[in-house]
Amino acid sequence: MNIQLALDRMSIQEAIDMARLTEPYIDWIEVGTSLIKEFGMASVKAMKREFPHKVIVADVKTFDNAKYEFELCYMAGADVATVMGAAPLVTVELCMKTARIWDRQVMIDLLHTTPEEQAALARYWEAVHCLHVSKDQQEGGGSRLAGPGAYGAALDGAPGSASESPAGLRIAAAGGITLESLPGLMAMKPEVLIVGSAITKAPDPAAAARAFQDRIRELGGR
C-alpha cells in the first residue's frame, strides 16, 4: 500500500520543501491540480527533477484533449497522469493508449461517476481507479471517504472487474483521509492512499507522514 502525498495550493518551492520533509515516509508524490493550473508543466518537471526515484503523479484531471494533455504530463516526467471517469469513454481510451505508448500509468478519478459508469470503467483493469470525495464536498458538507461504499457492488460481476481479473482492480482512495478513517478503508485493499491536508497542514508534517506509515503497517497494509 503506497502513500501518495497530495500537494496543492502552494508554490512549487513549497511543494518541493514539503515533499522533502516527508520523503522517507511517502511513496508517490502528487503534483496537484492547483499546482499544474498555476505553474503548468514546470511544476511536474521540478518535482521529477528533485525526486527522480519517486512515482510522480500529474493530477491534470483530463476531461478532453486526452492525447495532448497526457503527452504533456509524460514529457514533463510524470509516471502517472489522471483522467476523470466521467469523461467520454473515447477520452479514457485515448489516455490508456497514450500511457501504453509511453510505458506510463493512468489513474481514473471516479469523482461524480455513477455505478454504471464505474462498472464500464472496470474494463481498464491496468489503470488505478481512484475513489474520491472532492475538496468542495469536504469543505462544504463535511464529507470524508470512510470506506468503499457502493463501489464494490457496482463492480460486482462487471466485465474486467476484480471478481474476473486475476490481477484485480487497482484501487486508490482520496478525500479527507485521516488516521482515524484508515481502518474503514482497509476493506477495499487500496494500492494507493492519497493524503493531503492531514500531512501538509499538520504542525509537524514529517511526524504526520510517519504516523500514517506506522498505522498502515499496524493494519497490515505494508
Side-chain angles (χ1 to χ4, degrees), residues 56-62 69-71 73-74 78-83 95 99 104-109 128:
I56 303 299
V57 181
D59 191 16
V60 71
K61 288 185 168 67
T62 289
E69 291 192 0
F70 264 47
E71 285 185 338
C73 293
Y74 295 149
D79 302 287
V80 185
T82 65
V83 60
C95 290
R104 306 289 173 86
Q105 299 188 62
V106 176
M107 183 178 288
I108 301 175
D109 191 325
V128 179

Side-chain angles (χ1 to χ4, degrees), residues 120-169:
L121 291 165
R123 73 185 69 178
Y124 302 114
W125 56 267
E126 68 266 49
V128 179
H129 295 246
C130 180
L131 297 170
H132 186 188
V133 175
S134 75
K135 178 64 68 176
D136 289 341
Q137 286 175 294
Q138 295 173 47
E139 294 178 349
S143 297
R144 295 286 189 275
L145 186 65
Y151 187 64
L155 297 181
D156 186 29
S161 71
S163 62
E164 295 186 5
S165 170
L169 281 180

Side-chain angles (χ1 to χ4, degrees), residues 2-200:
N2 298 291
I3 298 173
Q4 177 175 315
L5 178 67
L7 299 169
D8 271 300
R9 297 188 280 192
M10 59 182 71
S11 69
I12 294 176
Q13 189 57 54
E14 287 170 337
I16 290 171
D17 292 344
M18 181 61 66
R20 189 73 69 201
L21 279 173
T22 58
E23 184 178 5
Y25 315 109
I26 61 173
D27 308 287
W28 293 19
I29 300 174
E30 175 190 319
V31 185
T33 311
S34 65
L35 274 175
I36 292 173
K37 285 188 174 183
E38 187 168 359
F39 303 107
M41 288 297 112
S43 58
V44 180
K45 290 178 182 177
M47 206 60 63
K48 191 62 179 179
R49 181 181 64 247
E50 295 293 327
F51 305 97
H53 56 292
K54 296 289 187 183
V55 173
I56 303 299
V57 181
D59 191 16
V60 71
K61 288 185 168 67
T62 289
F63 205 90
D64 191 16
N65 209 10
K67 182 176 183 291
Y68 176 76
E69 291 192 0
F70 264 47
E71 285 185 338
L72 279 179
C73 293
Y74 295 149
M75 283 190 290
D79 302 287
V80 185
T82 65
V83 60
M84 300 307 294
L89 280 177
V90 64
T91 298
V92 180
E93 183 62 41
L94 278 170
C95 290
M96 299 301 302
K97 182 178 179 180
T98 305
R100 293 184 195 110
I101 292 171
W102 282 78
D103 194 24
R104 306 289 173 86
Q105 299 188 62
V106 176
M107 183 178 288
I108 301 175
D109 191 325
L110 298 173
L111 181 68
H112 201 58
T113 54
T114 65
E116 292 75 21
E117 288 171 324
Q118 293 170 9
L121 291 165
R123 73 185 69 178
Y124 302 114
W125 56 267
E126 68 266 49
V128 179
H129 295 246
C130 180
L131 297 170
H132 186 188
V133 175
S134 75
K135 178 64 68 176
D136 289 341
Q137 286 175 294
Q138 295 173 47
E139 294 178 349
S143 297
R144 295 286 189 275
L145 186 65
Y151 187 64
L155 297 181
D156 186 29
S161 71
S163 62
E164 295 186 5
S165 170
L169 281 180
R170 305 172 64 197
I171 300 297
I177 292 175
T178 64
L179 287 172
E180 291 72 27
S181 67
L182 282 180
L185 298 172
M186 291 299 106
M188 70 176 78
K189 298 180 180 178
E191 178 179 331
V192 184
L193 280 172
I194 303 172
V195 185
S197 298
I199 291 175
T200 61

